[in-house]
């Protein structure tokens, strides 16, 4: 399966023009249901977006730190060095672990200007599944690391913080789609992580292969969590564009 490209690079002027034109069309076409109510939802909506974005910023930093820590901490550096060596030799299993992320099955709009052209309700649902794809892997990561006797506190604590922030971002996204698009069908479909059995294995080699995949993919995906949340805030509220 083709991997998503890195975050698209557009000039600020072009991106602003595209978003401005889209926002004008969206404002003319419809107003989110909760904003039309007497009490409205503007303040809680803005607060929820800001909260989710702050958590995504924290998650992005933690994921990067976790990635670096696994490569340099004595607990895992030897195993990761071996895996990197196998990766250079194009070992099939290790190459897949380093290059394939299960979250791509949610088809996130990470290419070109898909994030501008996709309809907002569909965008929200896709992002919910994208973030939700990490719920099970991170939950089990914390369990498995907690059960390992020699795991450093720095690694375990980061894993716990990552799991918590990811779960809270998903909660915020669910609130947003429920409030802004209450009639939209909210079908969630979180893809399975194919290396979960490796993580839960009694084999340390298998466990570290799973962590190798998880750290690579999470370090990549969290960049897009933050990017998409900012774009969604712009498209739904017209703010911070």
């Amino acid at each position: 399966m083709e991997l998503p490209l890195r975050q698209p690079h557009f000039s600020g002027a072009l991106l602003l023009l595209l978003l401005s034109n889209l926002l004008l069309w969206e404002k003319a076409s419809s107003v989110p249901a909760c904003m039309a109510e007497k009490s409205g939802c503007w303040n809680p909506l803005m607060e929820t977006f800001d909260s989710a974005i702050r958590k995504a910023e924290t998650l992005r930093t933690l994921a990067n730190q976790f990635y670096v820590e696994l490569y340099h901490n004595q607990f895992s550096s030897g195993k990761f060095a071996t895996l990197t060596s196998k990766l250079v030799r194009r070992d099939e299993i290790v190459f897949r672990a380093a290059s394939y992320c299960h979250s791509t099955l949610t088809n996130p709009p990470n290419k070109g200007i898909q994030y501008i052209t996709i309809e907002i309700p569909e965008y929200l649902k896709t992002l919910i599944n994208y973030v939700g794809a990490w719920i099970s892997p991170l939950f089990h990561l914390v369990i498995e690391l907690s059960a390992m006797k020699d795991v450093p506190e720095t690694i375990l604590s980061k894993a716990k913080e990552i799991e918590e922030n990811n779960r809270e971002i998903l909660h915020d996204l669910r609130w947003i789609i429920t409030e802004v698009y209450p009639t939209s069908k909210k079908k969630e479909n979180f893809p399975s992580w194919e290396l979960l059995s490796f993580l839960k294995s009694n084999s340390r080699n298998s466990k570290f292969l799973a962590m190798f995949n998880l750290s690579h993919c999470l370090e990549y995906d969290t960049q897009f969590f933050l990017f998409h949340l900012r774009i969604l805030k712009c498209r739904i509220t017209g703010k911070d564009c």
Side-chain angles (χ1 to χ4, degrees):
M1 181 175 292
E2 183 182 0
L3 291 175
L5 301 176
R6 288 290 178 184
Q7 182 169 316
H9 295 284
F10 294 101
S11 69
L14 176 58
L15 180 58
L16 181 60
L17 178 62
L18 288 168
L19 285 174
S20 296
N21 289 339
L22 184 65
L23 283 168
L24 286 173
W25 179 84
E26 287 175 346
K27 285 181 179 179
S29 62
S30 64
V31 175
C34 69
M35 293 184 189
E37 296 172 359
K38 185 176 181 180
S39 58
C41 67
W42 180 260
N43 288 337
L45 179 62
M46 291 296 291
E47 290 169 2
T48 303
F49 262 120
D50 290 342
S51 172
I53 288 171
R54 284 194 301 271
K55 291 166 190 168
E57 289 171 341
T58 299
L59 181 60
R60 173 73 190 98
T61 299
L62 288 168
N64 179 258
Q65 291 174 347
F66 186 70
Y67 175 86
V68 172
E69 188 80 21
L70 287 173
Y71 269 95
H72 293 92
N73 194 289
Q74 185 177 357
F75 164 73
S76 49
S77 59
K79 295 290 186 182
F80 269 53
T82 299
L83 289 167
T84 301
S85 177
K86 289 183 177 181
L87 178 62
V88 171
R89 298 197 302 271
R90 306 285 289 191
D91 178 274
E92 184 177 344
I93 294 176
V94 178
F95 181 77
R96 180 172 176 81
S99 60
Y100 175 76
C101 301
H102 74 290
S103 57
T104 59
L105 293 174
T106 65
N107 295 316
N110 292 347
K111 300 176 183 177
I113 58 170
Q114 289 177 331
Y115 58 91
I116 294 177
T117 58
I118 187 173
E119 293 186 3
I120 295 177
E122 191 62 32
Y123 197 172
L124 272 167
K125 293 175 191 176
T126 300
L127 190 54
I128 284 172
N129 286 330
Y130 193 26
V131 173
W134 285 102
I135 293 295
S136 176
L138 292 173
F139 173 78
H140 287 286
L141 174 68
V142 171
I143 290 177
E144 294 302 321
L145 285 175
S146 298
M148 297 176 75
K149 295 180 180 179
D150 55 345
V151 63
E153 179 58 30
T154 53
I155 288 179
L156 179 57
S157 62
K158 283 185 177 64
K160 289 180 177 179
E161 287 185 76
I162 288 170
E163 190 275 333
E164 180 181 4
N165 276 273
N166 185 78
R167 181 164 31 85
E168 290 179 353
I169 291 170
L170 178 61
H171 175 77
D172 287 340
L173 286 168
R174 284 168 168 165
W175 184 91
I176 290 169
I177 195 170
T178 298
E179 292 296 318
V180 178
Y181 299 102
T183 60
S184 178
K185 293 182 179 179
K186 304 169 185 66
K187 183 179 180 180
E188 295 182 354
N189 185 18
F190 302 159
S192 298
W193 182 38
E194 64 181 37
L195 290 177
L196 179 58
S197 61
F198 284 69
L199 182 67
K200 298 168 73 173
S201 170
N202 291 326
S203 165
R204 286 179 69 87
N205 287 338
S206 295
K207 284 183 182 294
F208 280 107
L209 178 65
M211 291 183 208
F212 187 73
N213 169 262
L214 186 149
S215 62
H216 275 255
C217 292
L218 192 64
E219 203 270 341
Y220 175 78
D221 280 353
T222 52
Q223 299 177 59
F224 282 106
F225 290 177
L226 180 57
F227 175 75
H228 290 309
L229 279 167
R230 286 171 172 165
I231 294 296
L232 270 169
K233 180 183 179 182
C234 171
R235 291 189 60 183
I236 292 176
T237 70
K239 299 295 183 181
D240 298 333
C241 297

